Amino acid sequence: MGVAFLLSGQGAQKPGMGAALIEQGAPEVAETFAIASEAFGFDVADVCLNASAETLRDTAFAQPAMCTLSVAVAKALEAAYAADLDLVCI
């Protein structure tokens, strides 16, 4: 039996989302945000931590932020619990 992780999509975003996870500075989380920031061309962690609710209603920021945070959560779970996720659905 495999392990799947289902994450919410756009509509669940809020200012400050993921703050505890991002501020812990776990290497897998930092790496996920660094890769996403380079790919999207803006600091995705900054959007998660500091963007206004209005900014987060803009799909151009909400989708990258939600996707990156979701992947970071999955990677943090894998690292913390030696989990081997077979599927991550965003």
Side-chain angles (χ1 to χ4, degrees), residues 40-51:
F40 292 117
F42 61 88
D43 186 340
V44 180
D46 184 59
V47 169
C48 288
L49 295 173
N50 301 310

Side-chain angles (χ1 to χ4, degrees), residues 29-69:
V29 173
E31 179 183 20
T32 300
F33 276 93
I35 290 168
S37 294
E38 184 177 332
F40 292 117
F42 61 88
D43 186 340
V44 180
D46 184 59
V47 169
C48 288
L49 295 173
N50 301 310
S52 66
E54 182 178 338
T55 298
L56 287 172
R57 281 191 290 274
D58 183 342
T59 301
F61 294 103
Q63 287 294 327
M66 291 296 296
C67 181
T68 302
L69 182 57

